[in-house]
Structure formats: structure tokens, C-alpha cells
PDB file of all heavy atoms in Angstrom:
ATOM      1  N   ASN A   1      21.032-155.203  48.850  1.00  0.00           N
ATOM      2  CA  ASN A   1      20.312-154.279  49.728  1.00  0.00           C
ATOM      3  C   ASN A   1      18.824-154.224  49.412  1.00  0.00           C
ATOM      4  O   ASN A   1      18.148-153.267  49.744  1.00  0.00           O
ATOM      5  CB  ASN A   1      20.916-152.874  49.640  1.00  0.00           C
ATOM      6  CG  ASN A   1      20.799-152.269  48.252  1.00  0.00           C
ATOM      7  OD1 ASN A   1      20.538-152.979  47.269  1.00  0.00           O
ATOM      8  ND2 ASN A   1      21.003-150.966  48.140  1.00  0.00           N
ATOM      9  N   SER A   2      18.318-155.302  48.787  1.00  0.00           N
ATOM     10  CA  SER A   2      16.902-155.355  48.438  1.00  0.00           C
ATOM     11  C   SER A   2      16.488-156.806  48.260  1.00  0.00           C
ATOM     12  O   SER A   2      17.292-157.648  47.815  1.00  0.00           O
ATOM     13  CB  SER A   2      16.653-154.597  47.134  1.00  0.00           C
ATOM     14  OG  SER A   2      15.359-154.887  46.621  1.00  0.00           O
ATOM     15  N   PRO A   3      15.230-157.132  48.583  1.00  0.00           N
ATOM     16  CA  PRO A   3      14.759-158.504  48.364  1.00  0.00           C
ATOM     17  C   PRO A   3      14.692-158.884  46.886  1.00  0.00           C
ATOM     18  O   PRO A   3      14.569-160.070  46.567  1.00  0.00           O
ATOM     19  CB  PRO A   3      13.367-158.515  49.001  1.00  0.00           C
ATOM     20  CG  PRO A   3      12.949-157.090  49.067  1.00  0.00           C
ATOM     21  CD  PRO A   3      14.207-156.300  49.252  1.00  0.00           C
ATOM     22  N   CYS A   4      14.783-157.929  45.979  1.00  0.00           N
ATOM     23  CA  CYS A   4      14.698-158.271  44.553  1.00  0.00           C
ATOM     24  C   CYS A   4      15.863-159.134  44.105  1.00  0.00           C
ATOM     25  O   CYS A   4      15.761-159.847  43.100  1.00  0.00           O
ATOM     26  CB  CYS A   4      14.615-157.008  43.690  1.00  0.00           C
ATOM     27  SG  CYS A   4      16.112-156.012  43.641  1.00  0.00           S
ATOM     28  N   PHE A   5      16.976-159.121  44.831  1.00  0.00           N
ATOM     29  CA  PHE A   5      18.156-159.892  44.426  1.00  0.00           C
ATOM     30  C   PHE A   5      18.093-161.344  44.895  1.00  0.00           C
ATOM     31  O   PHE A   5      18.838-162.179  44.409  1.00  0.00           O
ATOM     32  CB  PHE A   5      19.430-159.246  44.980  1.00  0.00           C
ATOM     33  CG  PHE A   5      19.705-157.877  44.438  1.00  0.00           C
ATOM     34  CD1 PHE A   5      19.639-156.764  45.266  1.00  0.00           C
ATOM     35  CD2 PHE A   5      20.031-157.695  43.099  1.00  0.00           C
ATOM     36  CE1 PHE A   5      19.899-155.493  44.774  1.00  0.00           C
ATOM     37  CE2 PHE A   5      20.289-156.427  42.606  1.00  0.00           C
ATOM     38  CZ  PHE A   5      20.226-155.319  43.435  1.00  0.00           C
ATOM     39  N   SER A   6      17.226-161.649  45.859  1.00  0.00           N
ATOM     40  CA  SER A   6      17.215-162.963  46.500  1.00  0.00           C
ATOM     41  C   SER A   6      15.852-163.622  46.376  1.00  0.00           C
ATOM     42  O   SER A   6      15.171-163.866  47.365  1.00  0.00           O
ATOM     43  CB  SER A   6      17.588-162.833  47.982  1.00  0.00           C
ATOM     44  OG  SER A   6      17.572-164.091  48.612  1.00  0.00           O
ATOM     45  N   GLN A   7      15.433-163.894  45.162  1.00  0.00           N
ATOM     46  CA  GLN A   7      14.182-164.622  44.949  1.00  0.00           C
ATOM     47  C   GLN A   7      14.340-165.476  43.691  1.00  0.00           C
ATOM     48  O   GLN A   7      15.216-165.231  42.868  1.00  0.00           O
ATOM     49  CB  GLN A   7      12.993-163.670  44.863  1.00  0.00           C
ATOM     50  CG  GLN A   7      13.199-162.419  44.039  1.00  0.00           C
ATOM     51  CD  GLN A   7      13.054-162.650  42.552  1.00  0.00           C
ATOM     52  OE1 GLN A   7      12.264-163.454  42.110  1.00  0.00           O
ATOM     53  NE2 GLN A   7      13.853-161.942  41.758  1.00  0.00           N
ATOM     54  N   GLU A   8      13.498-166.502  43.593  1.00  0.00           N
ATOM     55  CA  GLU A   8      13.721-167.536  42.574  1.00  0.00           C
ATOM     56  C   GLU A   8      13.116-167.213  41.221  1.00  0.00           C
ATOM     57  O   GLU A   8      13.250-167.999  40.277  1.00  0.00           O
ATOM     58  CB  GLU A   8      13.187-168.887  43.065  1.00  0.00           C
ATOM     59  CG  GLU A   8      11.708-168.920  43.343  1.00  0.00           C
ATOM     60  CD  GLU A   8      11.348-168.616  44.782  1.00  0.00           C
ATOM     61  OE1 GLU A   8      12.034-167.785  45.416  1.00  0.00           O
ATOM     62  OE2 GLU A   8      10.367-169.202  45.279  1.00  0.00           O
ATOM     63  N   PHE A   9      12.447-166.074  41.087  1.00  0.00           N
ATOM     64  CA  PHE A   9      11.778-165.745  39.834  1.00  0.00           C
ATOM     65  C   PHE A   9      12.620-164.754  39.026  1.00  0.00           C
ATOM     66  O   PHE A   9      13.608-164.203  39.516  1.00  0.00           O
ATOM     67  CB  PHE A   9      10.386-165.181  40.127  1.00  0.00           C
ATOM     68  CG  PHE A   9       9.585-166.030  41.079  1.00  0.00           C
ATOM     69  CD1 PHE A   9       9.196-165.558  42.319  1.00  0.00           C
ATOM     70  CD2 PHE A   9       9.257-167.341  40.745  1.00  0.00           C
ATOM     71  CE1 PHE A   9       8.474-166.356  43.205  1.00  0.00           C
ATOM     72  CE2 PHE A   9       8.542-168.152  41.624  1.00  0.00           C
ATOM     73  CZ  PHE A   9       8.149-167.658  42.853  1.00  0.00           C
ATOM     74  N   SER A  10      12.225-164.521  37.788  1.00  0.00           N
ATOM     75  CA  SER A  10      12.976-163.625  36.914  1.00  0.00           C
ATOM     76  C   SER A  10      13.149-162.263  37.597  1.00  0.00           C
ATOM     77  O   SER A  10      12.235-161.784  38.278  1.00  0.00           O
ATOM     78  CB  SER A  10      12.225-163.443  35.595  1.00  0.00           C
ATOM     79  OG  SER A  10      12.168-164.663  34.904  1.00  0.00           O
ATOM     80  N   PRO A  11      14.357-161.665  37.441  1.00  0.00           N
ATOM     81  CA  PRO A  11      15.429-162.006  36.500  1.00  0.00           C
ATOM     82  C   PRO A  11      16.423-163.049  36.995  1.00  0.00           C
ATOM     83  O   PRO A  11      17.494-163.185  36.399  1.00  0.00           O
ATOM     84  CB  PRO A  11      16.128-160.663  36.298  1.00  0.00           C
ATOM     85  CG  PRO A  11      15.970-159.978  37.607  1.00  0.00           C
ATOM     86  CD  PRO A  11      14.626-160.383  38.125  1.00  0.00           C
ATOM     87  N   THR A  12      16.103-163.771  38.071  1.00  0.00           N
ATOM     88  CA  THR A  12      16.981-164.865  38.490  1.00  0.00           C
ATOM     89  C   THR A  12      16.935-165.974  37.444  1.00  0.00           C
ATOM     90  O   THR A  12      15.868-166.511  37.152  1.00  0.00           O
ATOM     91  CB  THR A  12      16.543-165.417  39.852  1.00  0.00           C
ATOM     92  OG1 THR A  12      16.571-164.364  40.822  1.00  0.00           O
ATOM     93  CG2 THR A  12      17.467-166.536  40.308  1.00  0.00           C
ATOM     94  N   SER A  13      18.064-166.305  36.884  1.00  0.00           N
ATOM     95  CA  SER A  13      18.144-167.379  35.893  1.00  0.00           C
ATOM     96  C   SER A  13      17.912-168.721  36.576  1.00  0.00           C
ATOM     97  O   SER A  13      18.495-169.009  37.625  1.00  0.00           O
ATOM     98  CB  SER A  13      19.527-167.355  35.237  1.00  0.00           C
ATOM     99  OG  SER A  13      19.908-168.622  34.773  1.00  0.00           O
ATOM    100  N   MET A  14      17.050-169.556  35.981  1.00  0.00           N
ATOM    101  CA  MET A  14      16.837-170.887  36.543  1.00  0.00           C
ATOM    102  C   MET A  14      18.138-171.689  36.505  1.00  0.00           C
ATOM    103  O   MET A  14      18.453-172.430  37.436  1.00  0.00           O
ATOM    104  CB  MET A  14      15.749-171.634  35.776  1.00  0.00           C
ATOM    105  CG  MET A  14      15.477-173.023  36.348  1.00  0.00           C
ATOM    106  SD  MET A  14      14.099-173.848  35.543  1.00  0.00           S
ATOM    107  CE  MET A  14      14.188-175.483  36.297  1.00  0.00           C
ATOM    108  N   ALA A  15      18.916-171.551  35.421  1.00  0.00           N
ATOM    109  CA  ALA A  15      20.188-172.275  35.324  1.00  0.00           C
ATOM    110  C   ALA A  15      21.116-171.863  36.461  1.00  0.00           C
ATOM    111  O   ALA A  15      21.802-172.702  37.058  1.00  0.00           O
ATOM    112  CB  ALA A  15      20.832-172.014  33.974  1.00  0.00           C
ATOM    113  N   TYR A  16      21.152-170.565  36.766  1.00  0.00           N
ATOM    114  CA  TYR A  16      21.975-170.076  37.877  1.00  0.00           C
ATOM    115  C   TYR A  16      21.484-170.648  39.204  1.00  0.00           C
ATOM    116  O   TYR A  16      22.270-171.166  40.007  1.00  0.00           O
ATOM    117  CB  TYR A  16      21.930-168.546  37.907  1.00  0.00           C
ATOM    118  CG  TYR A  16      22.281-167.918  39.233  1.00  0.00           C
ATOM    119  CD1 TYR A  16      23.580-167.972  39.718  1.00  0.00           C
ATOM    120  CD2 TYR A  16      21.300-167.288  40.003  1.00  0.00           C
ATOM    121  CE1 TYR A  16      23.898-167.397  40.951  1.00  0.00           C
ATOM    122  CE2 TYR A  16      21.605-166.716  41.223  1.00  0.00           C
ATOM    123  CZ  TYR A  16      22.909-166.768  41.703  1.00  0.00           C
ATOM    124  OH  TYR A  16      23.218-166.209  42.913  1.00  0.00           O
ATOM    125  N   ALA A  17      20.177-170.589  39.448  1.00  0.00           N
ATOM    126  CA  ALA A  17      19.634-171.070  40.713  1.00  0.00           C
ATOM    127  C   ALA A  17      19.865-172.568  40.881  1.00  0.00           C
ATOM    128  O   ALA A  17      20.245-173.034  41.964  1.00  0.00           O
ATOM    129  CB  ALA A  17      18.140-170.752  40.800  1.00  0.00           C
ATOM    130  N   GLU A  18      19.673-173.337  39.810  1.00  0.00           N
ATOM    131  CA  GLU A  18      19.827-174.789  39.909  1.00  0.00           C
ATOM    132  C   GLU A  18      21.286-175.213  40.015  1.00  0.00           C
ATOM    133  O   GLU A  18      21.584-176.296  40.521  1.00  0.00           O
ATOM    134  CB  GLU A  18      19.150-175.471  38.726  1.00  0.00           C
ATOM    135  CG  GLU A  18      17.634-175.314  38.691  1.00  0.00           C
ATOM    136  CD  GLU A  18      16.936-175.863  39.925  1.00  0.00           C
ATOM    137  OE1 GLU A  18      17.454-176.804  40.550  1.00  0.00           O
ATOM    138  OE2 GLU A  18      15.871-175.322  40.282  1.00  0.00           O
ATOM    139  N   THR A  19      22.211-174.385  39.554  1.00  0.00           N
ATOM    140  CA  THR A  19      23.629-174.711  39.722  1.00  0.00           C
ATOM    141  C   THR A  19      23.958-174.882  41.201  1.00  0.00           C
ATOM    142  O   THR A  19      24.723-175.770  41.588  1.00  0.00           O
ATOM    143  CB  THR A  19      24.504-173.608  39.117  1.00  0.00           C
ATOM    144  OG1 THR A  19      24.291-173.560  37.701  1.00  0.00           O
ATOM    145  CG2 THR A  19      25.990-173.855  39.376  1.00  0.00           C
ATOM    146  N   GLN A  20      23.354-174.033  42.045  1.00  0.00           N
ATOM    147  CA  GLN A  20      23.658-174.076  43.474  1.00  0.00           C
ATOM    148  C   GLN A  20      23.166-175.380  44.112  1.00  0.00           C
ATOM    149  O   GLN A  20      23.882-176.021  44.880  1.00  0.00           O
ATOM    150  CB  GLN A  20      23.024-172.875  44.179  1.00  0.00           C
ATOM    151  CG  GLN A  20      23.067-171.561  43.430  1.00  0.00           C
ATOM    152  CD  GLN A  20      24.409-171.234  42.824  1.00  0.00           C
ATOM    153  OE1 GLN A  20      25.449-171.428  43.460  1.00  0.00           O
ATOM    154  NE2 GLN A  20      24.412-170.733  41.595  1.00  0.00           N
ATOM    155  N   SER A  21      21.951-175.767  43.783  1.00  0.00           N
ATOM    156  CA  SER A  21      21.373-176.972  44.385  1.00  0.00           C
ATOM    157  C   SER A  21      21.989-178.240  43.802  1.00  0.00           C
ATOM    158  O   SER A  21      22.258-179.199  44.533  1.00  0.00           O
ATOM    159  CB  SER A  21      19.861-176.976  44.163  1.00  0.00           C
ATOM    160  OG  SER A  21      19.555-176.841  42.790  1.00  0.00           O
ATOM    161  N   MET A  22      22.214-178.234  42.503  1.00  0.00           N
ATOM    162  CA  MET A  22      22.717-179.450  41.854  1.00  0.00           C
ATOM    163  C   MET A  22      24.185-179.695  42.183  1.00  0.00           C
ATOM    164  O   MET A  22      24.640-180.843  42.185  1.00  0.00           O
ATOM    165  CB  MET A  22      22.461-179.375  40.350  1.00  0.00           C
ATOM    166  CG  MET A  22      20.962-179.428  40.027  1.00  0.00           C
ATOM    167  SD  MET A  22      20.541-179.071  38.309  1.00  0.00           S
ATOM    168  CE  MET A  22      21.094-180.563  37.515  1.00  0.00           C
ATOM    169  N   PHE A  23      24.925-178.630  42.468  1.00  0.00           N
ATOM    170  CA  PHE A  23      26.290-178.851  42.949  1.00  0.00           C
ATOM    171  C   PHE A  23      26.245-179.623  44.262  1.00  0.00           C
ATOM    172  O   PHE A  23      27.008-180.577  44.467  1.00  0.00           O
ATOM    173  CB  PHE A  23      27.034-177.530  43.137  1.00  0.00           C
ATOM    174  CG  PHE A  23      28.397-177.716  43.749  1.00  0.00           C
ATOM    175  CD1 PHE A  23      29.478-178.036  42.949  1.00  0.00           C
ATOM    176  CD2 PHE A  23      28.584-177.622  45.119  1.00  0.00           C
ATOM    177  CE1 PHE A  23      30.737-178.263  43.518  1.00  0.00           C
ATOM    178  CE2 PHE A  23      29.828-177.834  45.695  1.00  0.00           C
ATOM    179  CZ  PHE A  23      30.917-178.145  44.885  1.00  0.00           C
ATOM    180  N   CYS A  24      25.357-179.230  45.158  1.00  0.00           N
ATOM    181  CA  CYS A  24      25.277-179.893  46.470  1.00  0.00           C
ATOM    182  C   CYS A  24      24.864-181.357  46.331  1.00  0.00           C
ATOM    183  O   CYS A  24      25.444-182.242  46.978  1.00  0.00           O
ATOM    184  CB  CYS A  24      24.320-179.139  47.374  1.00  0.00           C
ATOM    185  SG  CYS A  24      24.910-177.488  47.851  1.00  0.00           S
ATOM    186  N   ASP A  25      23.857-181.647  45.493  1.00  0.00           N
ATOM    187  CA  ASP A  25      23.447-183.057  45.398  1.00  0.00           C
ATOM    188  C   ASP A  25      24.442-183.880  44.590  1.00  0.00           C
ATOM    189  O   ASP A  25      24.470-185.109  44.696  1.00  0.00           O
ATOM    190  CB  ASP A  25      22.012-183.214  44.891  1.00  0.00           C
ATOM    191  CG  ASP A  25      21.790-182.867  43.434  1.00  0.00           C
ATOM    192  OD1 ASP A  25      22.494-183.379  42.573  1.00  0.00           O
ATOM    193  OD2 ASP A  25      20.839-182.095  43.152  1.00  0.00           O
ATOM    194  N   SER A  26      25.302-183.226  43.798  1.00  0.00           N
ATOM    195  CA  SER A  26      26.312-183.983  43.035  1.00  0.00           C
ATOM    196  C   SER A  26      27.311-184.666  43.955  1.00  0.00           C
ATOM    197  O   SER A  26      27.918-185.681  43.595  1.00  0.00           O
ATOM    198  CB  SER A  26      27.062-183.060  42.064  1.00  0.00           C
ATOM    199  OG  SER A  26      28.051-182.269  42.727  1.00  0.00           O
ATOM    200  N   LEU A  27      27.491-184.141  45.159  1.00  0.00           N
ATOM    201  CA  LEU A  27      28.475-184.705  46.086  1.00  0.00           C
ATOM    202  C   LEU A  27      28.112-186.120  46.515  1.00  0.00           C
ATOM    203  O   LEU A  27      28.989-186.925  46.855  1.00  0.00           O
ATOM    204  CB  LEU A  27      28.593-183.812  47.324  1.00  0.00           C
ATOM    205  CG  LEU A  27      28.998-182.358  47.089  1.00  0.00           C
ATOM    206  CD1 LEU A  27      28.933-181.582  48.398  1.00  0.00           C
ATOM    207  CD2 LEU A  27      30.380-182.261  46.472  1.00  0.00           C
ATOM    208  N   LEU A  28      26.814-186.439  46.505  1.00  0.00           N
ATOM    209  CA  LEU A  28      26.360-187.726  47.020  1.00  0.00           C
ATOM    210  C   LEU A  28      26.879-188.906  46.208  1.00  0.00           C
ATOM    211  O   LEU A  28      26.997-190.013  46.725  1.00  0.00           O
ATOM    212  CB  LEU A  28      24.834-187.766  47.059  1.00  0.00           C
ATOM    213  CG  LEU A  28      24.162-186.757  47.995  1.00  0.00           C
ATOM    214  CD1 LEU A  28      22.658-186.816  47.853  1.00  0.00           C
ATOM    215  CD2 LEU A  28      24.574-187.012  49.434  1.00  0.00           C
ATOM    216  N   GLY A  29      27.172-188.684  44.941  1.00  0.00           N
ATOM    217  CA  GLY A  29      27.667-189.780  44.114  1.00  0.00           C
ATOM    218  C   GLY A  29      29.164-189.957  44.174  1.00  0.00           C
ATOM    219  O   GLY A  29      29.708-190.889  43.561  1.00  0.00           O
ATOM    220  N   ASP A  30      29.857-189.091  44.907  1.00  0.00           N
ATOM    221  CA  ASP A  30      31.315-189.175  44.971  1.00  0.00           C
ATOM    222  C   ASP A  30      31.747-190.300  45.899  1.00  0.00           C
ATOM    223  O   ASP A  30      31.192-190.478  46.992  1.00  0.00           O
ATOM    224  CB  ASP A  30      31.903-187.846  45.456  1.00  0.00           C
ATOM    225  CG  ASP A  30      31.729-186.721  44.445  1.00  0.00           C
ATOM    226  OD1 ASP A  30      31.448-187.031  43.271  1.00  0.00           O
ATOM    227  OD2 ASP A  30      31.883-185.552  44.831  1.00  0.00           O
ATOM    228  N   ALA A  31      32.767-191.029  45.484  1.00  0.00           N
ATOM    229  CA  ALA A  31      33.200-192.201  46.249  1.00  0.00           C
ATOM    230  C   ALA A  31      33.633-191.837  47.662  1.00  0.00           C
ATOM    231  O   ALA A  31      33.348-192.569  48.620  1.00  0.00           O
ATOM    232  CB  ALA A  31      34.340-192.903  45.510  1.00  0.00           C
ATOM    233  N   ASP A  32      34.317-190.698  47.831  1.00  0.00           N
ATOM    234  CA  ASP A  32      34.769-190.350  49.182  1.00  0.00           C
ATOM    235  C   ASP A  32      33.600-189.915  50.062  1.00  0.00           C
ATOM    236  O   ASP A  32      33.612-190.150  51.276  1.00  0.00           O
ATOM    237  CB  ASP A  32      35.884-189.294  49.148  1.00  0.00           C
ATOM    238  CG  ASP A  32      35.504-188.033  48.397  1.00  0.00           C
ATOM    239  OD1 ASP A  32      34.504-188.039  47.655  1.00  0.00           O
ATOM    240  OD2 ASP A  32      36.232-187.022  48.533  1.00  0.00           O
ATOM    241  N   TRP A  33      32.561-189.289  49.465  1.00  0.00           N
ATOM    242  CA  TRP A  33      31.373-188.959  50.265  1.00  0.00           C
ATOM    243  C   TRP A  33      30.695-190.254  50.721  1.00  0.00           C
ATOM    244  O   TRP A  33      30.347-190.402  51.902  1.00  0.00           O
ATOM    245  CB  TRP A  33      30.380-188.104  49.475  1.00  0.00           C
ATOM    246  CG  TRP A  33      29.303-187.529  50.358  1.00  0.00           C
ATOM    247  CD1 TRP A  33      29.303-186.304  50.953  1.00  0.00           C
ATOM    248  CD2 TRP A  33      28.115-188.195  50.811  1.00  0.00           C
ATOM    249  NE1 TRP A  33      28.186-186.152  51.751  1.00  0.00           N
ATOM    250  CE2 TRP A  33      27.438-187.297  51.688  1.00  0.00           C
ATOM    251  CE3 TRP A  33      27.550-189.443  50.573  1.00  0.00           C
ATOM    252  CZ2 TRP A  33      26.232-187.618  52.307  1.00  0.00           C
ATOM    253  CZ3 TRP A  33      26.353-189.769  51.208  1.00  0.00           C
ATOM    254  CH2 TRP A  33      25.701-188.869  52.052  1.00  0.00           C
TER     255      TRP A  33
END
């Protein structure tokens, strides 16, 4: 209920934020993809 929860800076963990993006790009190396 606030923009403070949805931004890329602290207290947003970089590891948490990058998990979302890196999961998506990990699919490209999969044989079925």
C-alpha cells in the first residue's frame, strides 16, 4: 500500500531483486526452451 515496497534501492535486497531477473534469463539455456 505504498511505493516504498516496490523500488530497487534499500531496504530492497539486491540478491532478492536479482533472483527475479536471473530466474527469467536462466530459462534461455534450457534445452526445451
Side-chain angles (χ1 to χ4, degrees):
N1 63 344
S2 167
C4 69
F5 296 113
S6 180
Q7 43 80 34
E8 61 267 35
F9 310 116
S10 295
T12 301
S13 153
M14 181 175 173
Y16 158 69
E18 294 301 331
T19 295
Q20 321 314 317
S21 55
M22 293 170 73
F23 175 84
C24 293
D25 70 52
S26 78
L27 302 174
L28 297 175
D30 292 343
D32 55 345
W33 192 94

